[in-house]
Amino acid sequence: MNTKDWLIQDLKEDWLEDRAVKAEKNNKIDKGFYKQYDIKQGLRNSDGTGVVVGFTKIGSVHGYTYCDGVKTPIEGRLFYRDIEIDDLIKNAGKFGFESIVYLLLFGELPDEEELEKFNVILDGFRKLPPHFTENTILNSPSRDVMNKLQRAILVLYSYDDYPDSLDINKILIQSLKLIAGFPTIIAYGYQAKAHYFDEQSLYLHNPVDGLGTAANILHMIRSNNKYTKLEKDTLDLLLILHAEHGGGNNSAFTTHVVSSSGTDTYSAVGAAVGSLKGPKHGGANLRVKSMVDNIKENLADYSDKEELKKYLERILMGEVFDQKGLIYGMGHAVYTKSDPRAVILKEKAKELAAAKGRMEEFELYHNIENLTKEIFKEKRGDDCIICANVDLYSGFVYQLLNIPKELFTPLFATARIASWCAHRIEQLVSDHKIIRPAYKSLNNEEKCTIR
């Protein structure tokens, strides 16, 4: 680099730094305006409930009752197509997740014969198009598997003869191909990342017919292809628990918003993946893992409840860990007394931890849950209610399954893709208006108008 280039580089850095300050300053909205004009930040009402913007028949989340202006906490309940999650888990067979995919898409559970036919169709779509793996995944690896997944989805548009069709039969085929293909894409995306950036051996295993989604994932990400029935059943449970969570979660709402414009399936699902990639949504269990790792590093005996409680209080005060003042894995936007997903997953985590000889770690998560509840009651009163959410235990279960952290959020996407496709179809057949919220202008001449 010559002298001129160095001067230009220095000038560019100084210029950008100065403009970054201007950009931040001139785009900052005074928080007082939100209260003054009753703006629903985050599409939330003042009491924390979500602003109702539409209808859905796909799933529902219950964490409180609301009557005559009074919000009353209740034990959390989760429904897929009006069937409670506990009942779905109890009756889940060998292909539990596949039956849930069928339920979300078609509105009813399949019988044994129909499920067998459905699995044959999914098996037919698990392998990626010719040359796709080499050209799209291996030749351009990404350090982030969610980034690779999003790019791969958009590339699949080019392999579709009718990518822009809004006919439901075409959209259904696109949906099934994406649902079946997600496990293969994330497995190969991870292998490419591990090979090119972490200098690990590259091995690609083709999906196997008849295994189902959970078993195929374990088959494709492990070098020896081996897994136990308990491991397969646990991952199948995780996929079921993450498959749907109502239309109000960020990624499902993203699917509705983008689909309302009339765009293609690949763009809508790609946008949903981008939403889930955010640490406030799909990446939350990674924050739990980081917090727990920090606790292990700083406490000589993390089984000592008194010392653990003191450290959690320091985390909450913003003195240690990431200094954000948050205990990750605790609290939820809708659930109050309990998150049914966390309740179910906690039992499976305990079973798996016992089988793996890691009960001491399980007790750490259990203690974080109980001690955080104590801390909140002490600081905010006995009426303060907070519960563990699914993220407190999901990351731990992934670790027990020897799943690399790079795949935590992609596995969430692999579960949620069925819901996104169902919400896209629901939007297209039920609501033909483009979603267009209003933002109030704070320019001087427009302070009294909303457009």
Side-chain angles (χ1 to χ4, degrees), residues 126 128 132-133 137-138 141-142 145-146 148-149 152 180-195 200-207 213-223 225 235 403-404 406-408 410-411 414:
R126 291 196 192 281
L128 301 176
F132 180 88
T133 298
I137 299 178
L138 299 182
S142 175
V145 181
M146 286 293 281
K148 171 50 62 183
L149 175 62
F182 261 40
T184 312
I185 293 172
I186 67 167
Y188 290 1
Y190 169 72
Q191 303 297 358
K193 180 264 177 191
H195 177 64
Q200 297 180 19
S201 297
L202 177 67
Y203 51 88
L204 301 178
H205 303 308
N206 288 327
T213 305
N216 260 308
I217 290 170
L218 295 173
H219 162 77
M220 288 189 287
I221 67 174
R222 293 184 172 179
S223 59
N225 308 122
L235 183 55
I403 291 174
E406 294 91 340
L407 285 173
F408 287 9
L411 283 172
T414 298

Side-chain angles (χ1 to χ4, degrees), residues 164-205:
D164 293 303
S165 174
L166 294 183
D167 291 340
I168 298 303
N169 62 341
K170 297 291 193 303
I171 290 176
L172 188 57
I173 292 173
Q174 293 165 352
S175 299
L176 292 173
K177 286 183 176 180
L178 288 171
I179 291 166
F182 261 40
T184 312
I185 293 172
I186 67 167
Y188 290 1
Y190 169 72
Q191 303 297 358
K193 180 264 177 191
H195 177 64
Y196 288 98
F197 297 109
D198 303 331
E199 299 183 351
Q200 297 180 19
S201 297
L202 177 67
Y203 51 88
L204 301 178
H205 303 308

Side-chain angles (χ1 to χ4, degrees), residues 278-295 308 311-318 320-332 339 342 364-373 375-376 386-396:
K280 294 181 181 180
H281 192 7
N285 54 22
L286 287 171
R287 289 191 172 190
V288 174
K289 181 183 184 302
S290 296
M291 179 185 73
V292 171
D293 288 344
N294 180 266
I295 291 172
L308 176 59
Y311 199 75
L312 289 171
E313 289 174 333
R314 294 185 65 196
I315 291 176
L316 196 59
M317 293 295 291
V320 293
F321 182 43
D322 63 359
Q323 299 182 329
K324 297 289 182 62
L326 298 171
I327 298 178
Y328 297 108
M330 296 298 298
H332 192 269
D339 178 340
L364 171 58
Y365 285 85
H366 173 71
N367 289 335
I368 289 172
E369 177 183 359
N370 289 336
L371 292 173
T372 300
K373 291 178 181 179
I375 293 169
F376 270 80
I386 188 172
C387 67
N389 60 54
V390 70
D391 294 308
L392 182 64
Y393 291 100
S394 63
F396 177 53

Side-chain angles (χ1 to χ4, degrees), residues 370-384:
N370 289 336
L371 292 173
T372 300
K373 291 178 181 179
E374 285 184 19
I375 293 169
F376 270 80
K377 284 186 178 295
E378 290 170 3
K379 292 185 177 297
R380 301 183 184 180
D382 290 337
D383 293 335
C384 180

Side-chain angles (χ1 to χ4, degrees), residues 8 11 52 58 81 87 133 138 186 195 215 237 261 291 310 333 339 384 421 429 439-440 443:
I8 292 174
L11 177 62
V52 178
I58 298 166
R81 296 285 188 179
D87 294 328
T133 298
L138 299 182
I186 67 167
H195 177 64
L237 173 65
S261 74
M291 179 185 73
K310 290 178 181 178
D339 178 340
C384 180
C421 291
V429 301
Y439 273 70
K440 183 175 181 61
N443 293 327

